[in-house]
Amino acid sequence: MGLSNVHLGHLHSASKISSSSSSSPSSSLSSSSSSSSSTLRQVLPSSTTSLYLSGKERIKKAGCGTALVSSGQCLLFDPEEEGKLQGTGSLSSRITNGPKYVLPQDAVIAPQQQPTPLSSPPLDVDVDVDVTVSDAQHWLEYLDEELPLNFAKPNKPVTATLLARSRIISEDAPGDIQHVIMRLPEGMHYVEGQSLSVIPPGVDPKTNKKYSPRLYSIASTRYGDILDGNTVSLCVRRAEYYDTITNQVDTSKKGVCSNYLCDAEPGTQVSVAGPVGKTMLLPKDLSSDVIMVATGTGIAPFRGFMHRLFMEQTVVRHMFSGTAWLILGVPVSGGLLYKEEFDAMLENANPGQLNIDYAISREMTNTIDGGKLYVQNVIAQNANEFFTRLDNGASVYFCGLKGMMPPILEALEKVAAENGLDWNVKLKAWKANHQWHVEVY
């Protein structure tokens, strides 16, 4: 019952967006309620309203969240007749007058609708808390069962469109890191933790062939930053190399793909392939803990994880009962990536459900030897909690430069030895139980 209600609500919302964005003349906006209902019956296949279909089948047959009625003409939903405008002509006036429209003095502003409490939980679920119904994102949830892989391969890439990019570290932070948003071609989807290949234009002078694809961890959820299910976000560090003698950037050794993305203007057509990756997927058990360890742009997949668990209106967010622990290492405070977003997540999460530790190496010291604080020091300082969580079924994820792993493994091995544990046996057991996930570059 719950899924059916959410599905119909989303289809209804999608149709309203199409109607309100129509550029049709005002005369075409007077479709009656009866004609709208008639059109709806003609366009929607009867199978979409069947209560006997599985949730995934209903979503697919409903166009995966896309209205099955073409936009315009108020065919599916006429706000004048069926909405709160009640035939006032307000919508027609708004469209006709555009930015010159003035709200009538006697207009009544409707209060924001609050979630509707239920007298009892849906599907006879036995819970001790009040249950409310709210809008939810759901049309791409089937991807958990049908993992998207290689919509396009590097030898036959497809074209994405760069929508926007922005520097996301302060001027005093070393280097340049940018958040890049691209619109994907229709039908290309991904899930959190996967990666996307970008093929820069041009020919590699070393091989006289096209440049090889560069793989980037995806930094958004399957719904994208725009929440329409058609965009992807990347966290890109501009690869620059400094001459050790002049201390100046050596442009002849700059990273081809990263500089291409960091310099690209909105509207740039970008060749992409993928998605790929099965290693960094969130656990299916929503009651298990998640530990995320990142350095620099290795934060990318964990931004997607945390948006899914603490920000978006999905069933996964509401069902997640484990705890999440993020450890992020950067050189200076100005290099903290997505901190404002993470602060909002701390407010959204239940008390104690999200913990974030920053290791700012040039500004913090560790309690072990008084040296600079790195991610491996944070793990060592919280070794008992780290080991206990993993022994209780937590999944741990590492992402960043490959140089991050040796000191982390060394620190964990030392802690294991101090507690009389065989580190190799312990690590082997975690890997066998699919609790240990590493993606370094």
Side-chain angles (χ1 to χ4, degrees):
M1 180 179 71
L3 181 57
S4 177
N5 289 338
V6 171
H7 154 62
L8 293 175
H10 177 80
L11 184 59
H12 190 61
S13 298
S15 64
K16 287 193 290 184
I17 293 173
S18 298
S19 298
S20 63
S21 62
S22 170
S23 59
S24 303
S26 58
S27 61
S28 66
L29 297 171
S30 59
S31 304
S32 67
S33 170
S34 60
S35 65
S36 299
S37 302
S38 174
T39 304
L40 173 62
R41 286 194 295 270
Q42 294 173 12
V43 175
L44 290 180
S46 60
S47 58
T48 61
T49 58
S50 172
L51 296 178
Y52 300 99
L53 295 174
S54 69
K56 183 175 70 174
E57 289 173 326
R58 285 202 300 275
I59 291 172
K60 284 189 172 181
K61 287 185 176 296
C64 294
T66 302
L68 299 178
V69 177
S70 59
S71 63
Q73 307 299 322
C74 295
L75 294 178
L76 182 58
F77 177 83
D78 185 353
E80 293 285 5
E81 298 295 334
E82 301 173 50
K84 294 183 178 180
L85 300 177
Q86 300 171 341
T88 61
S90 176
L91 179 63
S92 301
S93 298
R94 287 175 186 268
I95 293 176
T96 301
N97 296 321
K100 297 180 180 180
Y101 175 78
V102 178
L103 191 69
Q105 292 183 353
D106 60 348
V108 178
I109 306 300
Q112 183 176 0
Q113 185 177 2
Q114 297 297 317
T116 305
L118 293 181
S119 58
S120 60
L123 304 179
D124 298 325
V125 178
D126 185 17
V127 295
D128 297 326
V129 297
D130 293 334
V131 176
T132 59
V133 175
S134 60
D135 292 333
Q137 295 154 235
H138 63 91
W139 69 95
L140 294 178
E141 296 304 296
Y142 74 93
L143 296 175
D144 289 325
E145 299 176 35
E146 301 177 8
L147 186 67
L149 290 169
N150 293 312
F151 176 88
K153 295 186 177 181
N155 60 344
K156 291 184 179 180
V158 292
T159 301
T161 303
L162 192 140
L163 300 181
R165 61 175 175 81
S166 176
R167 180 184 172 95
I168 53 175
I169 57 175
S170 66
E171 292 299 327
D172 63 337
D176 179 20
I177 298 179
Q178 302 219 8
H179 186 73
V180 179
I181 303 176
M182 296 186 292
R183 181 168 299 285
L184 296 173
E186 184 177 356
M188 187 175 190
H189 298 295
Y190 57 90
V191 299
E192 303 73 25
Q194 289 191 301
S195 299
L196 186 78
S197 290
V198 176
I199 300 92
V203 175
D204 187 343
K206 296 179 181 179
T207 63
N208 204 31
K209 296 180 181 179
K210 292 182 179 180
Y211 283 109
S212 300
R214 268 62 166 181
L215 200 62
Y216 291 93
S217 298
I218 294 173
S220 51
T221 72
R222 65 193 69 187
Y223 296 101
D225 289 354
I226 302 177
L227 302 180
D228 64 354
N230 289 118
T231 63
V232 65
S233 296
L234 305 178
C235 182
V236 182
R237 173 182 287 279
R238 185 190 296 271
E240 297 176 318
Y241 298 87
Y242 286 81
D243 187 294
T244 56
I245 299 177
T246 63
N247 200 33
Q248 298 296 317
V249 175
D250 185 347
T251 56
S252 66
K253 297 181 179 179
K254 67 180 183 180
V256 174
C257 194
S258 64
N259 279 269
Y260 164 63
L261 290 174
C262 289
D263 291 334
E265 296 296 330
T268 299
Q269 302 294 290
V270 181
S271 294
V272 298
V276 296
K278 300 179 181 180
T279 301
M280 299 288 284
L281 305 183
L282 277 168
K284 293 184 178 181
D285 182 0
L286 296 177
S287 65
S288 64
D289 291 351
V290 176
I291 304 173
M292 301 160 282
V293 184
T295 59
T297 57
I299 192 63
F302 306 143
R303 177 182 184 262
F305 284 7
M306 293 168 66
H307 268 274
R308 185 156 175 80
L309 296 178
F310 299 110
M311 297 299 287
E312 295 183 350
Q313 295 292 351
T314 61
V315 173
V316 168
R317 173 189 170 187
H318 293 287
M319 294 295 291
F320 178 61
S321 59
T323 60
W325 180 13
L326 171 66
I327 303 172
L328 172 60
V330 295
V332 296
S333 298
L336 286 173
L337 300 167
Y338 307 113
K339 185 178 184 300
E340 294 80 6
E341 296 180 19
F342 297 157
D343 288 344
M345 294 172 190
L346 286 168
E347 294 182 7
N348 279 356
N350 294 324
Q353 193 176 27
L354 173 60
N355 299 308
I356 300 179
D357 285 309
Y358 295 121
I360 307 175
S361 60
R362 298 182 188 177
E363 302 173 14
M364 296 180 174
T365 57
N366 67 70
T367 60
I368 299 174
D369 59 15
K372 294 181 178 181
L373 184 67
Y374 296 101
V375 291
Q376 64 267 24
N377 302 129
V378 175
I379 294 174
Q381 291 171 181
N382 299 275
N384 290 336
E385 180 180 0
F386 187 88
F387 276 78
T388 299
R389 288 194 184 211
L390 281 167
D391 286 341
N392 290 335
S395 293
V396 62
Y397 301 81
F398 302 91
C399 189
L401 294 174
K402 59 183 179 182
M404 70 182 285
M405 290 309 298
I408 288 176
L409 294 172
E410 181 181 346
L412 290 173
E413 185 175 5
K414 182 179 180 180
V415 170
E418 292 173 350
N419 289 273
L421 302 173
D422 188 322
W423 168 244
N424 291 326
V425 172
K426 180 67 69 175
L427 180 59
K428 184 178 180 180
W430 289 339
K431 288 182 177 180
N433 202 32
H434 307 292
Q435 296 174 255
W436 188 270
H437 311 266
V438 179
E439 184 174 272
V440 293
Y441 39 87

